[in-house]
């Protein structure tokens, strides 16, 4: 009599970022899990939503076991907003977009010259008050181009004009800066380890700087970009920190990276690397037979420090196969494979109408995951 050996159920890790504007990273994981179970109910699924330091980083940390804390802070326009940070065993994940992100601006309204990071400083203080001794400052999705001056102001710095008054908020106000004194910064900052987590390695100023590259996305005209770049250059000169201004990451999130390097003595690290460490992604990869990553748009930017590239690199080191899910695919198969992703499944593969893909991303992603499971498991 012969017996047939039972095959071992596939162990699937879902480590995907958000589909911006449609689904959070947690919702992506839920929909992919549901689709896989329809096709392969026996599969063992582990979900670890990921982020690269931009908007959605706190949510990913909370999904990974951190505790969510909410506090009222100053938003980018000066109006109060509710912002959150995540905390676990003395490590805080602070997402600057929670306090100064584009989502806090009225729809269609931009304030490129006056938007402030003051609320980010307030959020950092709240994390310190809650007992943080290590802070991961995730930056991205900002409405601001103030070089982090507002953040430094909230933390106790004195940024003064010729009359001894605090300069106005926003990058435009930095033109009036005459003296900058960081001696009044909260003393707890010196006892805290700060990590600047970003997928952006731009310098503060110049053609690849914060104003030139990202200012137009925040409503800055050509004249505004020139003004803001000059203002950021002036800020670095007054602080005597031109070397820091040229450092990778200084131009992140409207230059808040510069303030983090100078005022917080932060270490710059790719956001996906530090978040993968905190969330235990590499250990989860080790348990998996297939890794699924992804984000809303898989494009050239994905290959330069975005979450899917980081997950794929870690999986490659572990010898595990990787596929991706996305809303739209804008890179060819060869580029994908070079990044360690065997294949990408896009919503546009099953629905050509992009507007519908955005509006109905959840059920479409579930159907896409069912197809992926039938192909791969």
């Amino acid at each position: 009599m012969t017996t047939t050996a039972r095959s071992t159920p596939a162990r699937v890790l879902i480590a995907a970022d958000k589909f911006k504007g449609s689904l959070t990273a947690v919702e992506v994981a839920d929909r992919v899990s549901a689709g896989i179970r329809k096709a392969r109910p026996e599969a063992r699924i582990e979900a670890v939503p990921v982020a690269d330091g931009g908007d959605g980083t706190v949510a990913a940390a909370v999904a990974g076991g951190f505790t969510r804390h909410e506090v009222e802070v100053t938003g980018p326009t000066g109006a109060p907003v509710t912002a959150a940070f995540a905390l676990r065993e003395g490590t805080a994940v602070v997402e600057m977009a929670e306090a100064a992100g584009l989502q806090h601006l009225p729809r269609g309204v931009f304030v490129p010259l006056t938007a402030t990071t003051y609320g980010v400083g307030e959020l950092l203080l709240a994390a310190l008050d809650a007992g943080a001794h290590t802070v991961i400052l995730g930056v991205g999705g900002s409405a601001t181009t103030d070089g982090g001056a507002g953040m430094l102001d909230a933390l106790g710095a004195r940024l003064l004009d010729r009359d001894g008054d605090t300069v106005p908020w926003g990058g435009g106000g930095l033109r009036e800066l005459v003296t900058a004194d960081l001696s009044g910064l909260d003393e707890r900052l010196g006892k805290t380890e700060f990590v600047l987590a970003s997928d952006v390695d731009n310098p503060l100023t110049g053609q690849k700087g914060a104003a030139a590259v990202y200012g137009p996305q925040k409503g800055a005209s050509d004249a505004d970009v020139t003004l803001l770049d000059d203002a950021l250059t002036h800020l670095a000169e007054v602080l005597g920190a031109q070397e820091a201004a040229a450092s990778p990451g200084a131009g992140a999130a409207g230059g808040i990276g510069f303030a983090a390097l100078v005022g917080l003595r932060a270490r710059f690290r790719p956001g996906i690397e530090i978040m993968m460490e905190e969330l235990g992604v590499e250990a989860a990869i080790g348990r998996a037979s297939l890794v699924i990553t992804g984000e809303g748009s898989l494009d050239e930017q994905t290959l330069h420090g975005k979450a899917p590239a980081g997950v794929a690199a870690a999986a490659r080191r572990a010898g595990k196969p990787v596929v991706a899910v996305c809303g739209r695919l804008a890179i060819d198969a060869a580029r994908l494979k070079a990044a360690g992703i065997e294949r990408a499944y896009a919503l546009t593969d099953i629905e050509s109408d992009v507007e519908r893909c955005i509006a109905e991303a959840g059920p479409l992603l579930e159907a896409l995951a069912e197809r992926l499971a039938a192909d791969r498991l």
Side-chain angles (χ1 to χ4, degrees):
M1 176 176 148
T2 60
T3 59
T4 302
R6 291 184 180 179
S7 60
T8 302
R11 298 185 67 97
V12 181
L13 171 65
I14 304 167
D17 202 347
K18 63 188 174 299
F19 281 25
K20 192 167 186 177
S22 297
L23 300 169
T24 67
V26 173
E27 289 169 336
V28 169
D30 288 345
R31 289 292 189 167
V32 173
S33 296
I36 290 172
R37 288 194 178 98
K38 286 180 180 178
R40 297 289 185 265
E42 76 283 0
R44 298 176 183 175
I45 301 171
E46 182 175 4
V48 183
V50 296
D52 54 23
D55 46 321
T57 297
V58 165
V62 171
F66 283 66
T67 301
R68 179 182 175 90
H69 296 255
E70 292 189 351
V71 61
E72 186 176 278
V73 300
T74 303
T77 66
V81 300
T82 299
F85 65 91
L87 183 67
R88 182 176 67 187
E89 298 176 355
T91 296
V93 175
V94 175
E95 179 186 320
M96 73 88 60
E98 282 280 322
L102 286 164
Q103 73 268 25
H104 292 305
L105 297 180
R107 183 176 294 275
V109 175
F110 296 98
V111 285
L113 301 183
T114 59
T116 180
T117 55
Y118 192 90
V120 182
E122 294 175 312
L123 200 53
L124 289 173
L125 292 175
L128 296 181
D129 289 343
H133 50 70
T134 299
V135 176
I136 299 166
L137 176 58
V139 298
S142 73
T144 58
T145 313
D146 72 346
M151 178 184 77
L152 294 177
D153 185 9
L155 294 172
R158 301 184 74 222
L159 306 175
L160 308 176
D161 63 16
R162 68 177 64 254
D163 297 321
D165 298 322
T166 300
V167 296
W169 282 343
L174 296 176
R175 294 171 297 174
E176 302 177 29
L177 182 66
V178 173
T179 61
D181 179 6
L182 303 186
S183 65
L185 288 173
D186 191 297
E187 62 181 15
R188 294 174 294 175
L189 300 178
K191 305 171 185 176
T192 304
E193 178 186 2
F194 287 92
V195 179
L196 172 63
S198 175
D199 66 347
V200 167
D201 61 3
N202 301 66
L204 180 64
T205 60
Q207 292 184 347
K208 295 183 179 180
V213 176
Y214 301 106
Q217 300 173 11
K218 304 170 188 183
S221 65
D222 289 347
D224 291 337
V225 167
T226 299
L227 185 156
L228 288 167
D229 191 64
D230 289 345
L232 294 174
T233 299
H234 181 59
L235 172 65
E237 290 172 348
V238 173
L239 283 168
Q242 293 93 328
E243 184 176 345
S247 299
I256 199 171
F258 168 73
L261 295 172
V262 173
L264 306 179
R265 305 296 179 192
R267 292 183 298 117
F268 171 69
R269 291 190 62 189
I272 184 57
E273 286 186 9
I274 185 66
M275 290 306 298
M276 282 172 58
E277 286 180 11
E278 292 296 326
L279 300 174
V281 173
E282 292 205 8
I285 287 172
R287 295 187 289 270
S289 55
L290 176 69
V291 178
I292 301 174
T293 188
E295 63 179 347
S297 177
L298 280 181
D299 51 35
E300 282 296 325
Q301 285 191 347
T302 302
L303 307 181
H304 298 284
K306 292 286 190 178
V311 172
R316 172 183 279 173
R317 291 193 296 270
K320 300 300 177 73
V322 182
V323 295
V325 292
C326 60
R328 61 183 286 271
L329 178 62
I331 43 180
D332 61 31
R335 294 284 281 156
L336 274 179
K337 288 184 178 178
I341 299 172
E342 294 183 2
R343 179 177 172 182
Y345 292 78
L347 297 187
T348 51
D349 293 341
I350 59 176
E351 174 50 64
S352 59
D353 186 339
V354 175
E355 298 270 330
R356 188 179 170 202
C357 284
I358 295 171
E360 301 178 24
L364 287 172
L365 181 57
E366 194 168 318
L368 191 69
E370 188 175 357
R371 176 185 294 186
L372 182 160
D375 287 346
R376 300 289 310 196
L377 302 181

